Amino acid sequence: SHDVLNPGTSSLKASTMAFAVLTLARLFHGFNCRSDLSIVKIKLGTNKWIIGAFAIGVILLLGVLTIPPLKTMFMIEDLDIMELVKILALAFLPTLIIQIKKSICDLFRKYDMGALIFDGLCDGIFLYKKHYLYTLFKNVFLFGIVKLL
């Protein structure tokens, strides 16, 4: 059995795993695109269409990875269980990171704190929605002047 991280891995195995990771990652990313809020805040099951689209996408991907005529058409190499686990982990990792970021932003929105510090992290969304943008710029400008003195 070849390991993806070993130089001796076939290019077909590597392209199979890259295809599977990228495809599955895009399916997971659909959940990130639903809202500026985290999945925890908006609840995963509130949009049946996105869950259905995700399920159909996973079924199609599994079909390409397992059905012989599709494997031939897509030039897919056999994958073992550990490779499938690696695919799942690598595909889910970006969604996990984005959801952690959104959860942190949810907390900062809830307690109305850290606007200046987490502006970049939260993309300024809650600053604008709560009309803090003007106040923030004014405070940053004044802080800059005070710091110079």
Side-chain angles (χ1 to χ4, degrees), residues 83-145:
E83 290 164 339
L84 292 172
V85 168
K86 288 176 187 177
I87 288 168
L88 183 61
L90 290 170
F92 185 69
L93 186 60
T95 296
L96 177 64
I97 291 168
I98 291 168
Q99 288 302 312
I100 289 170
K101 173 207 167 236
K102 286 183 177 191
S103 293
I104 291 169
C105 291
D106 290 348
L107 277 174
F108 278 81
R109 282 185 196 100
K110 180 178 179 181
Y111 294 107
D112 193 23
M113 58 187 203
L116 179 59
I117 297 168
F118 280 87
D119 178 33
L121 179 66
C122 299
D123 303 320
I125 293 162
F126 67 103
L127 292 173
Y128 179 74
K129 288 183 179 176
K130 292 189 177 183
H131 306 287
Y132 288 143
L133 210 49
Y134 170 74
T135 306
L136 173 68
F137 285 130
K138 183 177 78 173
N139 291 341
V140 168
F141 178 73
L142 291 175
F143 178 74
I145 291 173

Side-chain angles (χ1 to χ4, degrees), residues 51-79:
I51 293 170
F54 178 81
I56 290 169
V58 169
I59 290 167
L60 290 172
L61 177 60
L62 288 173
V64 168
L65 295 177
T66 59
I67 298 171
L70 292 177
K71 284 175 64 175
T72 303
M73 184 186 315
F74 283 87
M75 297 178 13
I76 299 294
E77 190 167 307
D78 290 334
L79 300 170

Side-chain angles (χ1 to χ4, degrees), residues 1-6 9-10 12-14 16-18 20-21 24 65 76-91:
S1 168
H2 296 289
D3 184 33
V4 173
L5 300 177
N6 288 339
T9 301
S10 74
L12 186 57
K13 175 76 74 168
T16 297
M17 290 196 66
V21 167
L24 191 55
L65 295 177
I76 299 294
E77 190 167 307
D78 290 334
L79 300 170
D80 63 31
I81 294 297
M82 282 311 298
E83 290 164 339
L84 292 172
V85 168
K86 288 176 187 177
I87 288 168
L88 183 61
L90 290 170

